[in-house]
Amino acid sequence: MEQQQIINQLLTILQSDSLSNDEFNQNALQLFAYQFTNNLPYRKFCQQKGKTIRTVKSWKDIPAVPINAFKEVALTCTPPEEAERYFMTSGTTQGVKGKHYHPTLQVWNLSMKTYFKRRFMKETEKIRMGILFPTEEEMPNSSLARYLALAKQEFGTEESHYLLGDNGIDLERVIQELEQAEHSGEPFALLGASFSFVHLFEELAKIGRSFQLPAGSKILDTGGFKNQSKEWELDEFYHELSRVLGVPRKDCINMYGMTELSSQLYDAGNEQVPSIKSGPHWLKTRIIHPLTGEEVAEGERGVIVHCDLANYNSVSSILTEDLGMKVGEGFLLLGRVQGTEAKGCSIAVEEFIKAATEPTR
Amino acid sequence: MRERVGYLPDIGEEIIETKILTFTRKGEVLEVEAPLLTMKQMQLVTEKVKTASSEVLKNMSITEIISIIDTAIEVLLDRHSTYRKKAEMLLPIVTGYDKEMIRLGLTSFLKKFRKHELQRFVVEDLGNPLLLDDFQPRVKRGYSKAVGPELILHVWAGNVPALPLWSLISGLLVKSGNIGKVSSAEPLFAGLFAQVLVEVAPQLKDCLAVVWWKGGDEAREKEIFRYSDVVVGYGSNTSLESMSRRIPVTTRFLPFGHKVSFGVISNAALDSRKALTTAHHAAFDIIQFDQQGCYSPHIFYVRKGGNVTPAEFAQYLAQELESYQKRYPRRTLTLEEMTAAVHWRNQEEVTSFSNPAKQVFGQTDHHWTVVYEEGAAFSPTCSNRTVKVIAFDEIEDILPSMLPYRKILQSAGIAAAPKELFRWAEKFGNIGVTRITALGKMTSPEAGWHHDGGFNLLDLVQMVDIEHSAEEYAEYFAAYVD
């Protein structure tokens, strides 16, 4: 199959309402054949695992590539230099960032818009937005910057704004926006990285301010808030989010996305944490046992693997470092496998890297 | 199953709160009940231990102390003793390590604390063991005596069984009161040893305590650090650093951070006859406690030019690891550890695509991973039986990549001819390695080793000098003076 054919097929799928298991399977296998043929490093990866087009019979057999691989090789079916855009992963291994190449952003954009509408906007067509993240111009290789720019452009009213200044959150501006919303009664949406919200809490706490946003207002946070001045528990985070901004926890939506994917996953609010997350009909998530690769039973912990059909140019199946548990039609995100510390006195990789960069005492 | 661990001296009628730590292995559940003292009880314990050790231990001779420890170790070496049986039964559940591995590991470890080894231990550091008992004449004239601190606090870490004995026994040899905090990963053995010790020498019953609190418990640590003369701490640099912030300047802190070790194999050890044995020894160092020790190797540097090439050696090593898996299976990993292992392995596989010389042996569902590479950077693996074999031509080629890590290097297991051994030892010593040992012996340091380059006893004691002048001066005041 040709790239254009794949893209066209995908655009149709993205616009459809659903996909039967058979259809998903068929599309995934087609895509696997395309990627196996055109993505050389991926082909080697599959061969190492003894998997070829002939032996892969179901989308579940498609070898999942660990996210780290993006830092090591160019996982792309077309020459990297021909890509319209590449997004860079945030995490680094010894200073190297991974790149995810997109020959065109057509699919990525449609995937984002379609599912954002369904899970965040719902019946609302446009909403006044405040964005707690740098602009796309400031961070051209950040998929999150692209995501938020698209959200604002497609679903934000004219009065939507970025609320970051040169030194982080522009507090005055944020307060202005929130006050304006309180007064006008017009629903307001605040979107941004989870850690920006943590900073916002801290700033507002200093001056003892909190708000009561009008009904219909929403919050979207994404990413984690590790390594902040204070470790936040999920429950505490959403409690605070809801208290400070006056938005019910059911309208505080968390988006779970990865640079290595071309689609996003969401929960339906955070009244209870951890919330159940799920993705669009063109993405399926499996929870597997890391050594055998077999799916674990419902209610058991395992590692999260996504098969995202919109990832047409790189690899459809991604092995994450996230732990999860299958629940009904979705899964619980139970956190990231941190570089596990040895149980004995042998050094862990992270500490090792730190040792070399610290000055000798 | 429930087991009460730790050891407390007699502090009167006190209700001791305990913390239950639960361990599961292959369906067996063990609840470990560890003593969690209140601040007040902690204070009572420190006072008791200080007083008792100054009244009892300090008045014993080093020979007596050695023979008591020796008797206690005999009990633990005796496979029919109830204590030994308990250790063999419970440690596999607590640590997850294979039963046979624990049994052999315990024996080879405990052997190092018998009478003769302990004597060596003392002579090693002090030259003259009697320095611990009495003022001993010095060559420069005058006299000196080695005095142990009143109270040593040991903060142990990790799950390698019996490891706390190193510092606890050192503390006893210098006649100090000892309080040990066991780690949540292996809260058992130190207390067991204390119980045996007191059984064979009831007079020591108040000279030591083995307790538990959650590592990093600031209030508790601040309080007890104040009472201690020396704190011996184990753990990651992060936890040691936070510990050090709570230690008053008047308390001496001996931190033992995490370390990394490696092996080096000469082509002399790679002729067709010897290569298999060499691989066997190397594999043993890897499987013993699943590379969780600071002395466990992560990398084997293999010199080119032998009958067996470095790549073939990697293959041998893979085979040895596979057969060890049958005899001493790897402990069951947590989901986090498994995921880390899979990611490590996958990443090695991915990088091998652009590097034709690189090979990754085994499959994801194997319980080991061997990676063969040329010119790779020095970096620890994710442990749990994952190892890199790196080919080299000259020893000088591999030194630069280790240089940045001199603070955290520890053991080098070496298979080489005598001349090479000494030449390499010189080089490695210069870049921070503190222990050169035989392949196959990496995980069992000899009695009297210099742990991380330091001294076991000398770092604990304080020397007291009687200068010659004092002695001479005293003569004026003698009753017999004319």
Side-chain angles (χ1 to χ4, degrees):
Chain A
M1 282 234 282
E2 293 297 314
Q3 180 183 269
Q4 196 51 51
Q5 227 178 323
I6 299 251
I7 293 176
N8 291 342
Q9 218 164 321
L10 264 170
L11 295 176
T12 315
I13 290 173
L14 263 48
Q15 281 160 312
S16 71
D17 286 334
S18 64
L19 208 57
S20 73
N21 284 340
D22 273 355
E23 285 168 325
F24 183 90
N25 197 40
Q26 208 184 334
N27 278 288
L29 290 178
Q30 256 175 23
L31 190 57
F32 172 66
Y34 170 74
Q35 291 172 345
F36 186 89
T37 314
N38 296 296
N39 185 340
L40 213 63
Y42 183 51
R43 186 197 305 174
K44 287 192 189 165
F45 179 79
C46 296
Q47 283 166 338
Q48 172 107 20
K49 311 230 167 269
K51 300 280 179 80
T52 64
I53 299 175
R54 285 163 60 114
T55 60
V56 171
K57 305 262 191 245
S58 142
W59 67 273
K60 294 181 179 182
D61 300 335
I62 297 173
V65 173
I67 50 172
N68 269 335
F70 282 84
K71 293 170 194 149
E72 304 292 346
V73 287
L75 287 164
T76 170
C77 292
T78 48
E81 59 280 8
E82 287 172 20
E84 176 188 334
R85 184 82 74 86
Y86 64 83
F87 293 133
M88 267 158 50
T89 58
S90 50
T92 68
T93 311
Q94 300 182 341
V96 183
K97 285 191 168 194
K99 289 178 183 169
H100 191 187
Y101 297 95
H102 299 277
T104 153
L105 277 181
Q106 234 184 331
V107 175
W108 197 98
N109 289 347
L110 185 61
S111 163
M112 184 275 162
K113 286 188 283 188
T114 312
Y115 207 49
F116 182 81
K117 172 80 175 77
R118 203 174 299 165
R119 299 299 296 265
F120 186 72
M121 296 302 292
K122 299 172 196 164
E123 294 79 33
T124 316
E125 289 303 323
K126 297 240 176 190
I127 191 165
R128 181 162 173 160
M129 288 182 183
I131 294 180
L132 297 173
F133 201 75
T135 64
E136 209 182 356
E137 288 69 36
E138 287 165 314
M139 297 182 77
N141 297 115
S142 156
S143 55
L144 183 55
R146 171 71 194 156
Y147 171 94
L148 292 168
L150 207 53
K152 177 172 167 292
Q153 176 196 318
E154 297 289 322
F155 304 99
T157 62
E158 293 283 316
E159 300 80 26
S160 299
H161 295 293
Y162 281 88
L163 302 175
L164 289 198
D166 293 335
N167 306 309
I169 293 176
D170 184 346
L171 194 63
E172 221 168 288
R173 196 69 200 281
V174 174
I175 294 176
Q176 230 173 39
E177 285 292 305
L178 295 172
E179 279 176 346
Q180 196 280 333
E182 269 183 338
H183 293 151
S184 72
E186 179 198 350
F188 184 73
L190 199 55
L191 299 86
S194 313
F195 62 82
S196 305
F197 284 101
V198 173
H199 287 313
L200 182 63
F201 300 163
E202 287 168 354
E203 292 301 317
L204 290 177
K206 274 185 209 158
I207 52 169
R209 284 293 306 256
S210 65
F211 298 87
Q212 191 63 45
L213 290 175
S217 296
K218 304 159 186 285
I219 309 282
L220 182 134
D221 81 287
T222 184
F225 31 82
K226 281 261 159 173
N227 307 323
Q228 296 305 305
S229 49
K230 165 175 186 263
E231 286 266 339
W232 287 76
E233 294 292 332
L234 264 188
D235 195 50
E236 199 187 353
F237 176 78
Y238 287 106
H239 174 83
E240 201 59 10
L241 199 56
S242 171
R243 189 188 67 79
V244 171
L245 300 170
V247 175
R249 283 175 65 159
K250 70 172 176 44
D251 297 321
C252 297
I253 312 280
N254 174 265
M255 183 274 276
Y256 165 65
M258 306 170 78
T259 304
E260 295 85 353
L261 295 175
S262 301
S263 308
Q264 296 81 30
L265 298 89
Y266 299 86
D267 57 35
N270 280 276
E271 275 178 300
Q272 276 173 355
V273 289
S275 60
I276 299 174
K277 301 220 167 10
S278 57
H281 59 262
W282 60 87
L283 180 148
K284 281 189 192 286
T285 302
R286 297 197 307 141
I287 313 291
I288 64 156
H289 183 279
L291 296 188
T292 63
E294 298 291 323
E295 248 167 278
V296 297
E298 192 161 335
E300 250 179 66
R301 298 194 317 149
V303 180
I304 299 177
V305 172
H306 301 291
C307 178
D308 180 10
L309 298 183
N311 248 12
Y312 71 92
N313 183 56
S314 53
V315 288
S316 62
S317 291
I318 301 287
L319 174 67
T320 71
E321 288 175 344
D322 297 325
L323 297 185
M325 185 189 281
K326 189 170 163 45
V327 179
E329 287 306 295
F331 62 92
L332 302 180
L333 179 62
L334 301 175
R336 169 153 292 205
V337 185
Q338 297 292 331
T340 44
E341 214 176 283
K343 289 200 182 274
C345 44
S346 177
I347 203 156
V349 179
E350 275 164 34
E351 193 181 352
F352 174 81
I353 293 168
K354 219 171 128 205
T357 48
E358 273 174 2
T360 315
R361 268 173 294 183
Chain B
M1 226 183 324
R2 186 170 269 211
E3 176 70 19
R4 205 175 174 122
V5 301
Y7 175 80
L8 292 179
D10 180 10
I11 50 167
E13 290 292 307
E14 284 282 334
I15 295 164
I16 307 291
E17 205 188 308
T18 55
K19 161 84 182 176
I20 309 280
L21 304 163
T22 310
F23 299 89
T24 337
R25 182 181 188 257
K26 292 183 182 159
E28 281 181 293
V29 180
L30 173 67
E31 288 181 327
V32 165
E33 216 179 318
L36 178 62
L37 304 185
T38 63
M39 297 283 207
K40 181 175 154 270
Q41 291 167 338
M42 195 76 104
Q43 201 181 339
L44 288 176
V45 167
T46 49
E47 275 160 16
K48 188 80 190 182
V49 168
K50 271 189 186 185
T51 325
S53 62
S54 75
E55 283 167 5
V56 181
L57 260 175
K58 291 239 175 3
N59 289 318
M60 288 169 88
S61 72
I62 184 67
T63 322
E64 283 172 278
I65 297 175
I66 285 181
S67 97
I68 289 171
I69 298 173
D70 180 57
T71 318
I73 293 293
E74 286 292 336
V75 173
L76 287 168
L77 277 168
D78 175 9
R79 294 207 59 205
H80 302 293
S81 82
T82 46
Y83 291 106
R84 171 72 184 218
K85 280 184 185 159
K86 193 183 265 183
E88 286 189 17
M89 181 173 70
L90 301 182
L91 282 174
I93 308 176
V94 168
T95 61
Y97 295 122
D98 178 66
K99 284 190 166 139
E100 273 300 285
M101 189 194 284
I102 295 234
R103 187 176 73 75
L104 295 176
L106 272 184
T107 302
S108 104
F109 184 78
L110 290 167
K111 275 191 335 199
K112 299 198 183 96
F113 298 100
R114 284 171 309 171
K115 189 171 175 182
H116 295 102
E117 276 73 13
L118 290 173
Q119 285 172 335
R120 187 170 301 136
F121 219 96
V122 176
V123 170
E124 198 42 62
D125 270 19
L126 295 167
N128 176 2
L130 294 178
L131 272 169
L132 287 163
D133 289 346
D134 213 344
F135 281 99
Q136 296 295 308
R138 299 181 62 188
V139 177
K140 75 161 195 57
R141 298 191 299 178
Y143 293 81
S144 286
K145 183 183 176 193
V147 179
E150 270 190 289
L151 185 66
I152 302 175
L153 176 73
H154 311 259
V155 181
W156 295 307
N159 77 342
V160 179
L163 224 49
L165 283 201
W166 278 114
S167 70
L168 182 54
I169 287 181
S170 300
L172 289 168
L173 288 175
V174 299
K175 307 183 184 180
S176 290
N178 289 278
I179 297 181
K181 182 200 101 65
V182 291
S183 82
S184 306
E186 200 281 85
L188 194 80
F189 197 81
L192 208 60
F193 175 74
Q195 290 162 25
V196 179
L197 194 74
V198 171
E199 191 179 285
V200 304
Q203 68 269 39
L204 296 185
K205 72 179 175 54
D206 292 332
C207 296
L208 72 168
V210 178
V211 297
W212 180 90
W213 66 78
K214 188 155 174 42
D217 182 335
E218 277 194 37
R220 207 172 241 106
E221 291 190 351
K222 241 183 185 153
E223 184 73 7
I224 191 161
F225 289 166
R226 262 188 338 123
Y227 299 118
S228 316
D229 304 293
V230 176
V231 175
V232 185
Y234 296 85
S236 68
N237 281 343
T238 320
S239 55
L240 290 174
E241 244 157 31
S242 93
M243 221 186 280
S244 75
R245 282 197 292 272
R246 294 192 274 282
I247 295 179
V249 67
T250 44
T251 298
R252 199 179 331 161
F253 184 40
L254 299 176
F256 290 95
H258 291 168
K259 293 287 183 294
V260 60
S261 298
F262 59 92
V264 190
I265 295 163
S266 154
N267 48 347
L270 293 175
D271 71 23
S272 327
R273 198 164 51 85
K274 290 178 188 140
L276 262 180
T277 331
T278 309
H280 187 72
H281 290 153
F284 180 77
D285 287 337
I286 297 164
I287 64 117
Q288 185 70 337
F289 301 128
D290 296 341
Q291 278 172 311
Q292 297 292 329
C294 44
Y295 39 49
S296 301
H298 289 253
I299 297 177
F300 283 95
Y301 290 100
V302 181
R303 191 164 185 213
K304 292 180 192 166
N307 234 342
V308 169
T309 66
E312 283 164 345
F313 179 79
Q315 177 85 59
Y316 284 14
L317 194 56
Q319 278 160 9
E320 286 296 327
L321 288 173
E322 182 59 21
S323 53
Y324 266 126
Q325 173 63 23
K326 294 195 177 71
R327 257 183 86 194
Y328 306 117
R330 181 171 74 176
R331 82 198 151 83
T332 311
L333 303 186
T334 63
L335 193 56
E336 284 81 359
E337 288 172 311
M338 274 190 252
T339 311
V342 168
H343 274 272
W344 189 83
R345 186 191 166 80
N346 274 325
Q347 184 155 4
E348 293 300 324
E349 283 175 0
V350 172
T351 47
S352 73
F353 306 153
S354 49
N355 182 353
K358 187 167 176 171
Q359 276 175 277
V360 181
F361 297 92
Q363 285 297 335
T364 311
D365 51 1
H366 281 146
H367 295 264
W368 50 267
T369 299
V370 176
V371 173
Y372 169 74
E373 207 170 352
E374 286 178 20
F378 180 78
S379 171
T381 66
C382 62
S383 299
N384 300 319
R385 308 192 181 186
T386 53
V387 66
K388 252 187 197 184
V389 171
I390 301 176
F392 75 96
D393 284 307
E394 295 302 332
I395 203 77
E396 286 74 12
D397 302 341
I398 59 175
L399 297 175
S401 76
M402 290 184 215
L403 207 52
Y405 304 104
R406 68 174 308 138
K407 287 176 290 178
I408 52 167
L409 297 178
Q410 196 207 58
S411 302
I414 293 192
K419 225 174 164 174
E420 253 174 339
L421 170 69
F422 281 92
R423 197 173 84 79
W424 290 359
E426 173 83 30
K427 301 272 179 199
F428 289 135
N430 285 340
I431 60 163
V433 171
T434 56
R435 173 173 170 250
I436 308 280
T437 184
L439 226 56
K441 295 284 179 210
M442 291 190 71
T443 59
S444 68
E446 284 172 5
W449 73 310
H450 294 117
H451 185 183
D452 294 344
F455 293 93
N456 294 296
L457 307 181
L458 222 44
D459 280 348
L460 296 176
V461 298
Q462 197 167 322
M463 298 305 288
V464 184
D465 294 342
I466 298 178
E467 295 199 340
H468 177 59
S469 66
E471 192 195 344
E472 213 172 37
Y473 196 46
E475 287 294 333
Y476 287 114
F477 312 115
Y480 52 75
V481 76
D482 295 326

